[in-house]
Amino acid sequence: MRDHEDQEIDTTTSRRTRRGDFLRAATWAVTQRLHPKANDTTLHVAKDLAARLNADGHVAYCRDSMWKRLSISRRTLERHIAVLRELGLLVWAVHGSRTNTRPAGSGDWAGTATIYAAVVPRAWDDAAGHRVQGQGYHARHIGFTEHGRQAAIADARTRSSRARRRDTPSCKTNPLRPTAKGEGKKNNTRAPRRARPRRGRQREIPEPYRASPEQASHAVSVAAWVRPRVPWTQTEDLRRLAFALRPWINTGRSAADIAAELSVWRVPRRPDSPAGLIMARWRDELAEQAQLLTDTAAPDVPPAGDPPSQAFLDAMAALRARLQVLHPPADPEPDPPAFVIRHQILASLAEADRARRARRPQQCLTLAEWEAVCDARERAPW
């Protein structure tokens, strides 16, 4: 694909891919000599790009640092990037420009980065025996042909055998130390210890945290929805967070209800263990419920002293009636539903984020804060 119009993310005939398929397709294209200028340097450039791919299969070009890291000239790097685009392995997601993205008057300059998307051509899918659904960048790999299945099995066995391969043992061996013998009157040697079979400690999972495979999978999906919306939980592992949220999910609360409830907790900005904090809060709630049940089940203690007289009771009734006439009770306002509270919380968080990005240099205490605001503005379009 030598025409630049066919090397865009919207016009390409190649489909998007991830790191493994991108490297295998690049190796196949170089070994098959599909391009007269493709060589080992092209594959070296492809490996550097694959190491920096994000979850969407996009990578920043970073030409000024890439050619120094690969120890090649800038012109050589540009030539092999063009070779990868012509092979259908790279397409433009964002074209870089020299427009200054820094705020006016800041004295700094930063252009727009070039973003590439990793793709694989249809010719490689046909050669590898892939069944593909759809056309263009958003096509999907849905299965294998019979030839492709056999090739995939052989490739998986080759990669697993490489992973199990061990290094050659060293020729140098440590000599065995002689065992001490106690022949005199004093024997300070220690008796040989017998190897005891170690039993693995089996930890029993508490009742509210037990779950079937389907329930555990649902908890992981709920945790994946909650974690990006509650800032102080974003440092926790996804499965640990899902394990801590299982009792809350079992009560029938949705992911939005859990996120709204966690957002109003007064917790440190970056707790050491968000999952442990959630589990401790659940134990506190159970203790409060148990204490409430104990208080309600306790027998009423008869009051000590003489009961009030009839005249006192009549006076209290007349006073209550007069107060009701002067200040009639107002109807209690209904509590807003949970989704309204959730929307208010999310709106307040979004407003705070916008206000933080809109700060000026005079509103920042240090230069580091102002640089963080500038970096957030630069990353915002992505």
Side-chain angles (χ1 to χ4, degrees):
M1 295 183 291
R2 297 183 180 274
D3 193 354
H4 284 191
E5 295 181 357
D6 298 333
Q7 299 173 8
E8 301 286 344
I9 196 171
D10 298 328
T11 59
T12 182
T13 58
S14 302
R15 64 174 179 87
R16 61 182 178 180
T17 185
R18 293 185 178 180
R19 182 178 304 167
D21 285 349
F22 174 70
L23 286 178
R24 284 190 284 272
T27 305
W28 172 80
V30 172
T31 55
Q32 294 295 323
R33 306 232 177 238
L34 301 183
H35 197 285
K37 296 182 180 180
N39 51 28
D40 294 339
T41 305
T42 309
L43 190 59
H44 192 40
V45 172
K47 289 180 180 179
D48 184 86
L49 294 173
R52 296 186 287 115
L53 287 176
N54 61 8
D56 297 329
H58 294 180
V59 59
Y61 185 11
C62 300
R63 178 186 58 185
D64 294 337
S65 61
M66 189 174 178
W67 68 271
K68 297 177 183 178
R69 183 169 58 252
L70 298 179
S71 300
I72 57 179
S73 65
R74 181 179 301 181
R75 185 69 188 94
T76 301
L77 175 63
E78 294 174 353
R79 185 171 62 252
H80 287 285
I81 288 291
V83 168
L84 290 175
R85 291 200 309 267
E86 294 174 0
L87 286 173
L89 296 172
L90 284 181
V91 293
W92 274 296
V94 177
H95 283 275
S97 67
R98 299 187 64 81
T99 303
N100 191 8
T101 59
R102 298 293 187 181
S106 63
D108 297 334
W109 179 88
T112 305
T114 299
I115 306 297
Y116 282 117
V119 293
V120 290
R122 181 57 65 92
W124 180 74
D125 286 326
D126 296 339
H130 293 169
R131 291 193 298 113
V132 180
Q133 181 181 13
Q135 297 291 334
Y137 178 73
H138 295 285
R140 296 187 301 115
H141 174 209
I142 60 174
F144 294 91
T145 62
E146 186 61 32
H147 166 69
R149 184 179 295 105
Q150 299 298 330
I153 293 173
D155 184 41
R157 288 176 177 173
T158 302
R159 285 187 277 115
S160 63
S161 63
R162 291 176 182 174
R164 290 196 301 265
R165 186 178 299 171
R166 297 181 179 179
D167 296 334
T168 304
S170 175
C171 297
K172 182 180 178 181
T173 58
N174 295 326
L176 297 177
R177 297 182 178 180
T179 306
K181 297 181 179 180
E183 298 178 353
K185 296 182 179 180
K186 296 181 180 181
N187 184 9
N188 297 327
T189 58
R190 185 176 298 177
R193 296 182 179 180
R194 297 180 180 179
R196 297 180 181 179
R198 300 183 62 180
R199 298 180 180 179
R201 187 175 67 175
Q202 298 180 356
R203 301 179 60 181
E204 184 177 358
I205 300 177
E207 179 62 31
Y209 296 97
R210 297 177 185 175
S212 62
E214 293 79 8
Q215 294 173 343
S217 177
H218 175 64
V220 171
S221 63
V222 171
W225 195 93
V226 169
R227 187 170 65 173
R229 291 165 175 82
V230 183
W232 60 268
T233 62
Q234 294 175 4
T235 58
E236 187 58 86
D237 181 69
L238 186 61
R239 295 190 177 275
R240 285 178 54 85
L241 183 61
F243 181 82
L245 291 178
R246 284 182 186 178
W248 307 86
I249 299 173
N250 295 336
T251 58
R253 302 174 186 173
S254 63
D257 296 337
I258 295 175
E261 185 170 354
L262 296 181
S263 299
V264 299
W265 286 4
R266 298 179 61 87
V267 297
R269 185 176 180 181
R270 291 185 179 274
D272 295 336
S273 177
L277 193 148
I278 295 174
M279 297 172 69
R281 186 64 65 92
W282 175 257
R283 289 194 298 268
D284 295 342
E285 284 198 3
L286 291 182
E288 291 178 1
Q289 294 177 3
Q291 184 65 28
L292 183 61
L293 293 176
T294 303
D295 296 341
T296 54
D300 296 336
V301 180
D306 296 334
S309 62
Q310 187 63 34
F312 178 77
L313 295 178
D314 295 341
M316 290 296 298
L319 181 60
R320 291 193 183 98
R322 185 177 179 182
L323 289 176
Q324 289 181 358
V325 173
L326 296 176
H327 304 285
D331 296 335
E333 297 182 359
D335 296 334
F339 71 91
V340 174
I341 299 175
R342 182 179 70 252
H343 289 169
Q344 293 175 353
I345 293 174
L346 295 179
S348 63
L349 293 176
E351 181 64 25
D353 191 22
R354 286 194 295 270
R356 182 177 60 82
R357 291 181 181 178
R359 286 187 297 176
R360 298 189 297 274
Q362 295 80 5
Q363 296 174 339
C364 296
L365 299 179
T366 61
L367 179 61
E369 292 184 2
W370 173 239
E371 291 180 349
V373 172
C374 296
D375 292 342
R377 292 176 183 173
E378 185 177 355
R379 291 194 301 267
W382 320 128

